[in-house]
Amino acid sequence: MPDLSSRDPNWWRQAVVYQVYPRSFADADGDGLGDLKGITQRLTHLAALGVDALWLSPFYPSELADGGYDVADYRDVDPRLGTLDDFDAMVAEAHRLGLKVMVDIVPNHTSHQHVWFQEALHGGPGSAARERYVFRDGKGAKGELPPTDWQSVFGGSAWRRVPDGQWYLHLFTPEQPDLNWDHEEVRADFRTTLRFWSDRGVDGFRVDVAHALAKDLSEPLRDLGEPELSAEDALPHFAPGTHPFYDRDEVHEIYRDWRKILDAYVPPRMAVAEAWVPGARRARYARPDELGQAFNFEYLQAGWDADELKQVIVDSLATARAAGASATWVLSNHDVVRHASRLMLPPGTDAGAWLLSGGTSPTVDETAGLRRARAATLLMLALPGSSYVYQGEELGLPEVAELPVEVLQDPVWEQTGHTSKGRDGCRVPLPWTTSGPSYGFGAGAAWLPQPARFASYAVEAQDGVEGSTLELYRRALRLRRKLLSGEELSWAEDTPPGVLGFARGDGWRCVANLSGTAVPLPPGEVLLSSAPLDDGRIGPDTTVWLA
């Protein structure tokens, strides 16, 4: 099977990448959990949509302590999701359809079920096996206190004590012990993993928590000073590159090493960093001799405000340019409230509190939310760089905020003492048909319950329907592919308040009305509009593409 990405080794610079959360995409065997065969059967949907690549969230053996990001074996497939043969068949079919394949790699931590961690537990204090992880004696008269005040991203101490009295570091759940990247065996094993998947035809990698691998493990370990702070809140308290475990300068040595491996393939394998760091620091991860691209979370976090969004776009393009990379844009993913709901929350709304209310405080007008989401999508797709689309946003899916607490799977619910519902609301399985026990997701019920209103969002309900969100995405992606040329834009200076307007190098223009009132339509041929135009005017929450 030829590697279709060899036609353009820089395919990723302005690609549209579709994120697949495997357990929620399609269930081929009817057990309620999405699987690789289900993905393969639905790849024609992605090809018809017009995306360039699919990125798979983890499909590795895992007990799902953190939705698959607790990896027990980096070079195998969870048997509930399929086999390596199923993976190979999926890649072959994707390439046949002209789609590239990216996979998640999770290098900061393993599962506690990983053979290395089991060896560390049995090896005891001082054993060679413990050197692959971060084990330390505790503080206090009998070592009963954690070694430092470091906090887990999911709440509580980042240290867990084992029966022999030592503690191990877990920046995420206790089931995800952090690796020691000072250890050569850890580095060598991930080199093997990169080659393993690249040899199987994988075109690229999304690097989870890319900014946390390098840690200052010199003794004594340093406290952050304020235990109540999350690690990210503590970042500004340290000079750039000197935080004990986030965004340390030494991490870039790891990615320069990886780039040599990725560049040894024809075409070179691409990579994108998930690095929650400020823009100037993020550019370092995206340098050509490192990963080449990094996620831009400022755009995802920006409110529905023209001035704020313009500044984020300007800064993001400058950051990417400084790195020699292309910009990235994302509105939704497996970790955040879906943007069809999030963009309708009043400024300053605590999204966690909104989820705890079941989506009732405040209530969200789903019709208005869909209109805004469609406008946001056309704006994003017009920007230079890569757009990352999360599964189901092409259907306009809202967040399922009303999930009853007894069905929640996200460890955040338990780790925060039931004060945060977590991320399950954006992970509810997709609706493919308007009927059936799981709306075509599988033969039986899905692992998370889908609300009845999902029937109206199903692929079957929107396929071929003029004006549907699915058809809007299809038209936009077809047009985008024809219109793309360079990676520059020029801002229009005469736009009304609350309106963003810019032109791409080939005369393609985008006008997005984020205000509450209709504005005149500029001259030019209307190529596409996120909502019907009103007698030559662009209504509120509407984006138009013009030639």
Side-chain angles (χ1 to χ4, degrees):
M1 177 63 63
D3 186 345
L4 298 181
S5 65
S6 63
R7 294 176 182 173
D8 179 8
N10 291 317
W11 63 267
W12 50 271
R13 290 190 68 93
Q14 295 206 73
V16 176
V17 181
Y18 184 101
Q19 182 190 356
V20 171
Y21 190 73
R23 291 165 177 80
S24 297
F25 190 69
D27 170 21
D29 61 12
D31 66 353
L33 202 63
D35 45 47
L36 294 184
K37 285 184 177 178
I39 295 170
T40 304
Q41 291 171 3
R42 296 291 189 180
L43 286 176
T44 52
H45 170 73
L46 302 189
L49 190 61
V51 300
D52 300 294
L54 63 149
W55 146 37
L56 271 71
S57 291
F59 50 87
Y60 313 110
S62 170
E63 66 175 337
L64 305 183
D66 183 20
Y69 284 87
D70 47 315
V71 179
D73 185 342
Y74 289 90
R75 299 188 285 274
D76 204 352
V77 174
D78 192 306
R80 292 166 292 183
L81 274 65
T83 65
L84 283 170
D85 286 342
D86 293 333
F87 180 86
D88 293 341
M90 182 201 67
V91 172
E93 176 64 2
H95 285 167
R96 185 187 74 80
L97 292 168
L99 298 165
K100 284 77 173 176
V101 178
M102 296 167 54
V103 300
D104 239 306
I105 188 166
V106 188
N108 180 66
H109 45 260
T110 71
S111 165
H112 66 154
Q113 296 181 336
H114 193 285
V115 61
W116 278 2
F117 193 72
Q118 290 303 307
E119 289 174 0
L121 290 180
H122 292 119
S127 65
R130 289 206 173 177
E131 292 301 312
R132 300 187 190 115
Y133 293 90
V134 184
F135 277 85
R136 291 291 186 275
D137 293 329
K139 293 180 178 178
K142 299 181 179 179
E144 72 278 9
L145 300 176
T148 69
D149 62 5
W150 300 353
Q151 298 291 290
S152 162
V153 171
F154 293 150
S157 174
W159 296 93
R160 170 63 65 95
R161 201 176 193 190
V162 298
D164 59 40
Q166 279 203 312
W167 299 72
Y168 68 86
L169 178 67
H170 61 89
L171 290 181
F172 293 85
T173 72
E175 294 83 6
Q176 294 168 288
D178 279 48
L179 286 163
N180 172 17
W181 272 86
D182 290 339
H183 198 296
E184 177 53 34
E185 199 171 344
V186 171
R187 297 189 179 216
D189 196 69
F190 275 89
R191 294 186 196 110
T192 300
T193 295
L194 289 171
R195 293 187 181 103
F196 179 87
W197 294 110
S198 296
D199 289 346
R200 299 191 97 90
V202 163
D203 301 284
F205 298 89
R206 178 263 190 186
V207 184
D208 185 62
V209 198
H211 57 305
L213 275 57
K215 298 175 175 70
D216 179 6
L217 299 179
S218 57
E219 296 292 347
L221 297 181
R222 291 183 290 156
D223 283 338
L224 295 181
E226 299 181 60
E228 69 275 8
L229 286 180
S230 71
E232 285 166 14
D233 289 337
L235 262 176
H237 297 267
F238 291 86
T242 68
H243 188 280
F245 52 85
Y246 271 170
D247 190 36
R248 293 189 59 78
D249 289 339
E250 305 94 281
V251 78
H252 299 287
E253 173 195 344
I254 297 168
Y255 299 131
R256 283 191 288 271
D257 181 52
W258 285 16
R259 177 44 59 192
K260 295 173 187 174
I261 295 170
L262 301 177
D263 281 352
Y265 289 85
V266 179
R269 281 16 182 179
M270 62 80 68
V272 58
E274 181 206 27
W276 289 86
V277 296
R281 296 289 298 180
R282 189 176 65 242
R284 297 158 64 89
Y285 296 82
R287 290 179 292 197
D289 66 339
E290 295 194 29
L291 295 176
Q293 200 172 57
F295 280 131
N296 165 19
F297 293 112
E298 286 94 336
Y299 187 72
L300 182 151
Q301 294 170 323
W304 191 241
D305 176 85
D307 292 337
E308 181 182 357
L309 273 174
K310 182 176 180 178
Q311 191 60 56
V312 166
I313 293 167
V314 168
D315 292 346
S316 300
L317 290 172
T319 295
R321 241 185 332 267
S326 59
T328 63
W329 314 103
V330 61
L331 286 165
S332 286
N333 62 34
H334 64 292
D335 281 334
V336 300
V337 172
R338 285 187 176 275
H339 67 276
S341 299
R342 188 185 73 249
L343 291 177
M344 290 304 298
L345 296 176
T349 300
D350 182 333
W354 178 75
L355 287 171
L356 277 175
S357 77
T360 62
S361 182
T363 58
V364 168
D365 182 334
E366 285 194 3
T367 301
L370 181 56
R371 181 184 178 102
R372 188 168 285 184
R374 288 161 59 106
T377 292
L378 282 198
L379 172 60
M380 176 181 77
L381 292 176
L383 294 168
S386 298
S387 294
Y388 285 79
V389 173
Y390 180 50
Q391 64 177 38
E393 69 172 79
E394 78 277 18
L395 306 178
L397 290 185
E399 184 80 0
V400 185
E402 69 273 25
L403 284 174
V405 295
E406 60 268 19
V407 306
L408 297 180
Q409 306 283 325
D410 193 337
V412 170
W413 175 243
E414 292 297 336
Q415 282 211 211
T416 61
H418 300 174
T419 61
S420 173
K421 285 182 79 170
R423 302 157 292 178
D424 288 323
C426 66
R427 301 176 179 183
V428 175
L430 297 191
W432 295 91
T433 61
T434 57
S435 60
S438 59
Y439 302 108
F441 169 71
W447 67 281
L448 281 173
Q450 302 146 299
R453 68 184 187 284
F454 262 32
S456 64
Y457 289 95
V459 174
E460 182 182 50
Q462 300 192 48
D463 186 27
V465 176
E466 181 68 25
S468 71
T469 302
L470 176 59
E471 293 300 336
L472 175 71
Y473 269 74
R474 287 172 174 170
R475 285 191 63 194
L477 293 177
R478 283 195 301 269
L479 267 173
R480 183 183 187 274
R481 193 168 284 179
K482 291 178 182 177
L483 294 168
L484 282 181
S485 55
E487 295 182 18
E488 302 297 322
L489 65 72
S490 57
W491 292 99
E493 300 298 334
D494 56 349
T495 53
V499 176
L500 289 177
F502 57 85
R504 298 291 299 272
D506 52 3
W508 168 30
R509 286 182 294 153
C510 174
V511 181
N513 182 9
L514 284 66
S515 76
T517 58
V519 298
L521 178 68
E525 176 193 358
V526 175
L527 300 174
L528 190 59
S529 178
S530 65
L533 300 178
D534 181 15
D535 193 25
R537 296 174 69 78
I538 306 174
D541 295 344
T542 301
T543 299
V544 179
W545 289 0
L546 298 157

